[in-house]
Amino acid sequence: MFVIFGASGKVGLATAVALRNAGRPVRAVVRSARQGEALARIGCEIALADLTDPASVASAIKGATAVQMLCPVPVGDVDPALTMERMIDVAANALRADPPPAVLALSDYGAELDRGTGLTRLFHLLEERLKPLATQLTLLRSAEHVQNWAAMLPVMLATGRLPSLHQPLDRAFATVATQDVGQLAAELLLEGPSAKTPRIISVEGPRRVSLVDVARAFSAVVGRETVADAVPRTAWAPMLQRAGLSTNHVQLITELYDAVNAGQIDVEKGISEQRFGKTELHDVFAEMLAAHVKSR
């Protein structure tokens, strides 16, 4: 039984679909029955669990041959770091008490760094808590998800501008489509045991891009010019707070992009195996625009 936490999310869903297409049994772990409806239709067993609740997490992993673990950043939480640390502790304790033969943890570029990286520091904590497990451990570190720009789509359509914390605008950085991360995760789960544990794998898209490239790809999809717009450092916090993020969450994002813009967040050279997805920016943005139009 392959147990997928966060199975209703973009990466988890892609993993679950790939495993089911391979004919493997999947237990999709979600927070609510409604989130599990689409997964049930493709033949997944549905388990309801809250990552802050030890009993439900322990129940979800019971009898697993492999577990894909995701501890998501709790958007809307007053103190997302504290809540995510609680999730990590609950997950690690459950896996230590009842270790499956294999665990794949969804992590982040820069997770080898233990300070000064904001949100990414939490993925460092996740990795460190899982490394002592008596199991085959794979740490799948992904670059920034292309789908994160979906939140900016209404702004771009309304103003023709793409505000960003990436600076300078012509600096190339790694990004990856979530479906490529989920597909690779499924492939790694199906590979079986590796001689190395933990096995660290980094995944990014077919090529690195700048914000100028991102804006150009949006322009091609929407049919009119979109201009990349570097938000001044002093305007980051007000913009993020207007988006509804708590002060603590804003601080985590600010620290992260300070590290990104300083070139500190990247593949861990000499340690990580590197893989590349195939999905282009244009294809992701076309899907995002179609979903946006459909939802209106």
Side-chain angles (χ1 to χ4, degrees):
M1 177 64 71
F2 291 83
V3 176
I4 309 300
F5 281 81
S8 63
K10 293 179 176 65
V11 174
L13 178 59
T15 303
V17 168
L19 290 172
R20 289 298 300 136
N21 286 342
R24 302 305 177 92
V26 173
R27 181 181 299 148
V29 185
V30 294
R31 287 178 59 89
S32 69
R34 183 174 181 181
Q35 289 179 324
E37 290 173 358
L39 291 151
R41 286 195 291 271
I42 64 171
C44 294
E45 175 187 320
I46 306 301
L48 302 183
D50 181 336
L51 272 169
T52 63
D53 174 48
S56 65
V57 173
S59 177
I61 67 173
K62 190 174 181 62
T65 55
V67 171
Q68 179 166 303
M69 180 54 64
L70 167 68
C71 289
V73 178
V75 177
D77 197 292
V78 173
D79 193 343
L82 185 64
T83 301
M84 191 168 166
E85 288 170 5
R86 169 64 174 161
M87 292 178 183
I88 291 168
D89 284 342
V90 168
N93 290 340
L95 291 167
R96 184 173 63 248
D98 184 15
V103 172
L104 182 146
L106 297 171
S107 188
D108 204 14
Y109 271 29
E112 72 278 8
L113 304 175
D114 63 358
R115 60 177 63 89
T117 59
L119 286 172
T120 296
R121 180 191 63 80
L122 297 166
F123 291 96
H124 173 80
L125 178 62
L126 172 66
E127 291 191 3
E128 292 304 303
R129 291 285 278 116
L130 295 182
K131 283 178 181 178
L133 292 176
T135 187
Q136 175 67 51
L137 177 62
T138 300
L139 303 174
L140 179 55
R141 296 174 180 168
S142 69
E144 181 175 344
H145 292 171
V146 179
Q147 281 80 355
N148 289 350
W149 280 302
M152 302 309 301
L153 186 56
V155 174
M156 288 184 287
L157 292 173
T159 68
R161 305 194 71 80
L162 170 58
S164 177
L165 308 188
H166 281 281
Q167 297 176 7
L169 294 178
D170 60 355
R171 180 182 59 82
F173 57 94
T175 187
V176 66
T178 53
Q179 58 265 44
D180 289 344
V181 180
Q183 177 65 43
L184 175 58
E187 292 170 6
L188 294 170
L189 288 169
L190 291 170
E191 280 182 7
S194 166
K196 185 176 182 180
T197 187
R199 185 182 182 189
I200 303 174
I201 299 173
S202 298
V203 58
E204 61 185 75
R207 62 188 56 77
R208 295 199 168 192
V209 297
S210 69
L211 252 295
V212 173
D213 297 323
V214 174
R216 188 176 295 122
F218 265 115
S219 298
V221 169
V222 302
R224 63 183 178 88
E225 185 179 19
T226 301
V227 179
D229 183 11
V231 178
R233 176 68 169 70
T234 55
W236 289 6
M239 182 183 75
L240 294 169
Q241 287 168 346
R242 286 195 300 272
L245 299 185
S246 68
T247 300
N248 290 322
H249 201 161
V250 169
Q251 181 62 32
L252 291 172
I253 292 177
T254 298
E255 289 179 2
L256 169 61
Y257 276 92
D258 280 340
V260 167
N261 293 336
Q264 297 171 359
I265 306 294
D266 210 321
V267 175
E268 186 178 11
K269 301 295 185 183
I271 301 296
S272 175
E273 302 175 43
Q274 195 164 10
R275 305 290 181 88
F276 298 90
K278 297 180 180 179
T279 306
E280 300 285 356
L281 288 178
H282 181 279
D283 298 323
V284 177
F285 294 159
E287 291 178 3
M288 285 166 46
L289 180 62
H292 176 75
V293 171
K294 184 178 180 180
S295 68
R296 297 184 68 182

